[in-house]
Every structure is written in structure tokens, then in C-alpha cells.
Amino acid sequence: MIKFIWSPDYEIDIGDHVFPTAKYRLVRDLLLEDEVCAIEDFLVPVPATQEQLEAVHSVAYLDDLSNLRRSTRTASSELPLTAEIVDGYKLAAGGTIIACRAALSVSPPVACHIGGGFHHAFADHAEGFCYINDIAVAICAMRQEGRIQRALVIDCDLHQGNGTAHIFQDVPEVFTFSIHQEANYPTKQKSDLDIGLEDLTGDVDYLSQLRDVLAPLIESHRPELIIYVAGADPYKHDVLGGLNLTIEGLAERDRLVIHEAISRRIPIVTVTAGGYAMKVADTVTIQAQTCKIASELFHQALL
């Protein structure tokens, strides 16, 4: 069966902040309520180990985090720096690792992490609500464990996955693709493939540009694992965004990406990443929708 990864410890107290950490619990509850999954379909994450973190992040930066030290390396997080928060990010990295192992061990090969997607964290510093780059940590862990060599990051968050792009800039086996609003945070890095969208791009243009590149990219790179960064923030009512996608358009985006992987039997892991809709319920709907579509396509592939 398809596995979902979630922990109640993802709901971290970050104070009065635009980032709704309650969304993880709410997505999980909605999936259970709608009978997309059952309690036994959930895997419980454990924190990434120091060795796994050091495969991506510098020792000096990790030392700042462990000692809750405000420095030039931690100051750009735009978050408080507490033990609960640091532990939560290490746990989320562990969650993406477990999700990758799950996807690599089932057929059809898919798993959903209701968490993760912290793509702005660099090897040596935090950025944009991101302390630990769980995407990079998980890919490096899978490579070190000998499970894969080649990976593809499909980043459909509103914001470019700048940290992930920078971490893997000299690793040809890991291809980074980001489709994002160009005139928005962050300062751009160079992904292996970037599509910078104009403000107010809507469903039709977004899906057309994504569809044009997706299949050729997968066929040319031949990944053994895909991590799909399924941010909810391209939504037209996102307070940090400037694209114009509808909930239905985002569903088609998810269906397109996940189908391309499952139809080729390429393991795919979804991570939630951003989502800051004016109504938290919309973010929850969008991110639960990603999991529902993954489950639907999983079961269709069994037939």
C-alpha cells in the first residue's frame, strides 16, 4: 500500500507567523476523514542523524543550530531559533528519508510526506523558513545507502528551490528543475532547468509549460528517484504569491507530475513545501489533494 509520513511534532510553535505549521495535522486529518488512508498507512519519522545531515550541511552551520546560536549562518531563516524548531527540521529531514525508502520498496513506487520541502536551506546557511534541506539530505542518504545514483527534483513551489539547486550544482547525477514565479523571492540560483513564470500566470499557461518539458526531462535524465516539491503557493489566493492557479489547476499539475513517474515505474516522493493561502483551509485542501491524487494513481496502476 501507499505510505504516508507524518508526525505530530511537525506542528511547531513558531509564534505569530505566516507559515501555518498546523497544516500538517490538518492535511493528515482530512485524508483520514475522507478515507484516503487509514492509521496503519502512516509511517512515523525519526530525526536525520548527524552523519546524514553532514552529508549536506557544513559542520559549522549544524553546530550553530545545535547550540541555538544566532549567527550569519542562521539569521536569514526568518524564523525563531529554538530547540523545538531545530528538532522539528531534523525530524522532517528524517521523514523525507523514510518516504524515499518507502517509495523505493513498493510497487507502484510512490510515497507522500506530509511535511518537508524545505528547499531554501543551503549547505552552510538558512534561508526563507528553511533550516535543513530535507530534499538534499534524503537524496544524499539514498545515494550513500546504495539505493540510487540518479535523482530528479521537480520543484513546483511558487518560489525557486535555490538551496537545492546550489547544493547539487556540481552533482550531475542529481538534476534540479524548478518552475516558479520569476519576480518573487528568492535571489535566484541556477537550477539545471529553470522556468521563471510571469506574474499572474494561470492554469493554462502554467500547465502548458510544465507539460512541454516534463516527459523529455524524465526520459533524458533517467532518474531512479523523483522528489516532487508540491508547494501549494502557486494558488491565486496565496498571500506570498503572485501566480494565478486555481485549486483545479493545481490538481492537474499534481496529476501530470505523479502520472509521469508512476507510468514509468520511477519511484516518486511528494513533499508539501510552501502554502500560505489567505484561508488555511485552502492550503490544506490543496496539499491533501496532492496525496489524494497520488493514492488514486497508485491504485489505478495496480489494476
Side-chain angles (χ1 to χ4, degrees):
M1 292 295 294
I2 184 172
K3 293 298 182 182
F4 300 85
I5 294 81
W6 168 82
S7 170
D9 294 329
Y10 290 170
E11 191 169 351
I12 304 166
D13 181 8
I14 59 174
D16 185 16
H17 200 281
V18 70
F19 181 17
T21 64
K23 71 177 183 177
Y24 303 119
R25 170 179 50 82
L26 295 171
V27 169
R28 181 253 194 185
D29 290 350
L30 183 56
L31 293 175
L32 290 172
E33 178 183 332
D34 289 349
E35 300 183 343
V36 175
C37 54
I39 292 291
E40 56 266 27
D41 297 323
F42 282 86
L43 299 177
V44 179
V46 296
T49 67
Q50 186 71 13
E51 180 181 7
Q52 289 166 337
L53 295 172
E54 287 182 4
V56 170
H57 294 288
S58 71
V59 172
Y61 174 52
L62 292 172
D63 186 65
D64 283 350
L65 290 179
S66 295
N67 289 285
L68 310 180
R69 185 182 300 122
R70 277 291 177 188
S71 69
T72 55
R73 290 180 284 262
T74 59
S76 295
S77 67
E78 302 178 55
L79 287 173
L81 185 57
T82 67
E84 180 190 15
I85 291 172
V86 171
D87 289 347
Y89 277 83
K90 292 178 180 179
L91 183 62
T96 302
I97 289 172
I98 290 173
C100 289
R101 289 181 186 145
L104 288 161
S105 63
V106 298
S107 183
V110 59
C112 296
H113 185 191
I114 306 171
F118 298 115
H119 57 171
H120 297 313
F122 283 68
D124 61 357
H125 70 276
E127 282 194 17
F129 313 161
C130 301
Y131 278 120
I132 298 290
N133 193 311
D134 62 289
I135 301 160
V137 169
I139 289 173
C140 288
M142 295 306 97
R143 283 164 53 84
Q144 289 179 340
E145 292 174 12
R147 297 174 186 264
I148 66 163
Q149 282 301 312
R150 303 176 66 80
L152 167 62
V153 180
I154 298 176
D155 195 327
C156 294
D157 192 89
L158 174 89
H159 307 98
Q160 190 212 36
N162 58 331
T164 313
H166 191 268
I167 287 166
F168 290 121
Q169 63 182 343
D170 297 319
V171 184
E173 295 84 3
V174 180
F175 194 102
T176 56
F177 163 53
S178 180
I179 180 169
H180 51 263
Q181 183 185 1
E182 184 66 20
N184 203 325
Y185 178 92
T187 301
K188 304 300 185 288
Q189 298 292 320
K190 189 178 186 303
S191 307
D192 293 299
L193 176 62
D194 283 300
I195 297 178
L197 299 168
E198 295 182 1
D199 295 356
L200 300 179
T201 295
D203 293 345
V204 173
D205 287 346
Y206 184 102
L207 293 168
S208 175
Q209 293 194 56
L210 180 60
R211 191 176 289 110
D212 284 348
V213 302
L214 196 55
L217 170 57
I218 293 172
E219 290 169 3
S220 63
H221 184 64
R222 307 184 316 279
E224 298 160 288
L225 172 68
I226 294 171
I227 295 187
Y228 172 35
V229 186
D233 41 9
Y235 180 47
K236 63 181 181 179
H237 296 308
D238 194 275
V239 300
L240 298 185
L243 296 182
N244 202 33
L245 272 70
T246 64
I247 291 177
E248 295 76 18
L250 289 164
E252 185 58 28
R253 174 202 70 172
D254 292 345
R255 190 169 288 108
L256 175 62
V257 174
I258 298 168
H259 173 75
E260 289 289 348
I262 289 181
S263 65
R264 293 172 170 81
R265 288 297 195 268
I266 300 171
I268 183 168
V269 169
T270 70
V271 293
T272 52
Y276 318 95
M278 287 184 275
K279 297 178 181 178
V280 174
D282 286 347
T283 296
V284 171
T285 295
I286 293 164
Q287 300 199 308
Q289 179 173 259
T290 302
C291 299
K292 291 177 181 180
I293 289 168
S295 179
E296 171 192 323
L297 293 175
F298 173 90
H299 287 99
Q300 286 179 6
L302 288 174
L303 301 178

